[in-house]
Amino acid sequence: MTTDSLTVTDNRTGRSYEVPIADGAINAMALREIRTGDDDFGLVTYDPGLKNTASCRSSITYIDGDAGILRYRGYPIEQLAEHASFLEVAYLLLNGELPTADEHDAWVHDITHHTFIHENIKKFIDGFHHDAHPMGILVSTVAALSTFYPESKGTKESETRDLQIVRLIAKFPTLAAFAFRHSIGMRFAYPDNDLSFSGNFLNMMWRTTELKYEPHPVLERAMDILLILHADHEQNCSTTTMRTIGSSQADPYVAAAGAASALYGPLHGGANEAVLRMLDEIGDVSRVPDYIARAKNGDFRLMGFGHRVYKNYDPRAKIIRKLAYDVFEVTGTNPLLDIALELERIALEDEYFVSRRLYPNVDFYSGIIYQAMGFPVSMFPVLFAMGRIPGWLAHWQENVLDAEQAIVRPLQLFVGADERDYVPMAQRGA
Ligand code: CMC
């Protein structure tokens, strides 16, 4: 008997089974052998929220939630945030290695020259109501890109895949900024190829009458760092959605639109929006203890606290907390920071939060910076999605190339009615 195995005794039948363990996991299909008889389907696992199920092998991002470690392709997030650019990180996530100088130049050139979107897209952005949430506009326009690039369905050809990857990373900021400009009734600002990825995004967001928009270098770098910190986070809700949609061989535009929709929820990428609304509602440092008490009572969740994976300080939150001070030197401070710091201070001393290992996550401080930089709250999930697109694409690509993968199709434990006969409406009672 090998030691890397699990011996299971089925007490219904008294039979024992040996299930191999590889990479710290058992193959769920091995459990199918465990049956009470020939007509038994076999044992399945029940895992709502997929809390203990590895659905793929991945070599992109490593997280140790207990130790507060996050690495992209082996590189610590702290080093990437300090030294790399967002496009360099995007290349790393997608290709597994940091680019050489030549690879980097070619990559930046390609992305820079795909930032324009078809003029028709502007027409349907115009069709959105004036107060449409920019995330709704982003989700719809990303999906609509699929209709402009019908060849994108050939997900098996690497050249086709590579081109869609470049297009999606390049056009995402344009769609994001256009969604914003529409919501405030301002004429769209077109991409400027002379600027960096983040500098150009700030240009498309804020440019008004100036002939040439010049981003403030501190804010341009802060934007880039924020995108780096959001670029990937392994198998979270939106990435799993990206892989799931991709598993049916749908094109990456509709898959990315689905992933962005998953990100939109307040428990995922919508959390930074929820944090700001919460801090606004608290309104003053003196009211923090009251809100902490309410969170402990279960009346509401402290947004920006807790994480499915991190049971320690989220390493991204640490970097953002520090970054906030650089940004505030340029923009002036955000009064909500004092409330956030007090909330963090009390929560980190409180038994309820300590025993549940609830620490600030990436969203706790990012919104405060975004707000200081002038972004409205509704743009926060859009910024998160813009940062996450290389991660989604890296996972989509990995999934497409993984011979072990199949179309996602989980099982259910059916707990509904047994067979029964149709009852005519007149006989159904009140
Ligand atoms: N405030 C108060 N209590 C909390 C919080 C919170 N933010 N988060 C978890 N808890 C409690 C929860 O009530 C439960 O207590 P008990 O054991 O007494 O029932 C315990 O902690 C465990 O919670 P859980 O819901 O089982 O944990 P989870 O791993 O399923 O949820 C989470 C993770 C992120 C959804 C959750 O912590 C949460 O809702 N946080 C607030 C929303 C948020 O900030 N989301 C952003 C996540 S980071 C960005 C991203 O990756 O998308």
Side-chain angles (χ1 to χ4, degrees), residues 267-268 271 301-308 352 356 361 363:
L267 296 190
H268 190 9
R301 286 202 163 190
L302 216 52
M303 299 316 288
F305 260 78
H307 200 277
R308 173 66 61 77
Y352 175 94
R356 288 171 180 75
N361 60 47
D363 291 319

Side-chain angles (χ1 to χ4, degrees), residues 29-107:
M29 286 305 283
L31 300 180
R32 283 281 184 92
E33 302 302 319
I34 303 176
R35 302 180 196 185
T36 52
D38 286 345
D39 57 352
D40 184 5
F41 183 76
L43 204 62
V44 301
T45 57
Y46 176 59
D47 188 7
L50 303 180
K51 290 187 175 188
N52 196 38
T53 296
S55 60
C56 62
R57 292 175 189 280
S58 182
S59 49
I60 302 170
T61 287
Y62 173 79
I63 301 174
D64 180 338
D66 281 330
I69 291 173
L70 169 63
R71 295 183 201 131
Y72 297 160
R73 301 281 191 185
Y75 295 101
I77 190 66
E78 293 80 5
Q79 291 183 24
L80 293 171
E82 191 171 346
H83 303 294
S85 72
F86 174 64
L87 285 188
E88 213 180 331
V89 167
Y91 185 99
L92 170 71
L93 288 169
L94 284 153
N95 298 288
E97 297 297 335
L98 288 167
T100 61
D102 285 349
E103 287 164 344
H104 178 260
D105 290 351
W107 171 243

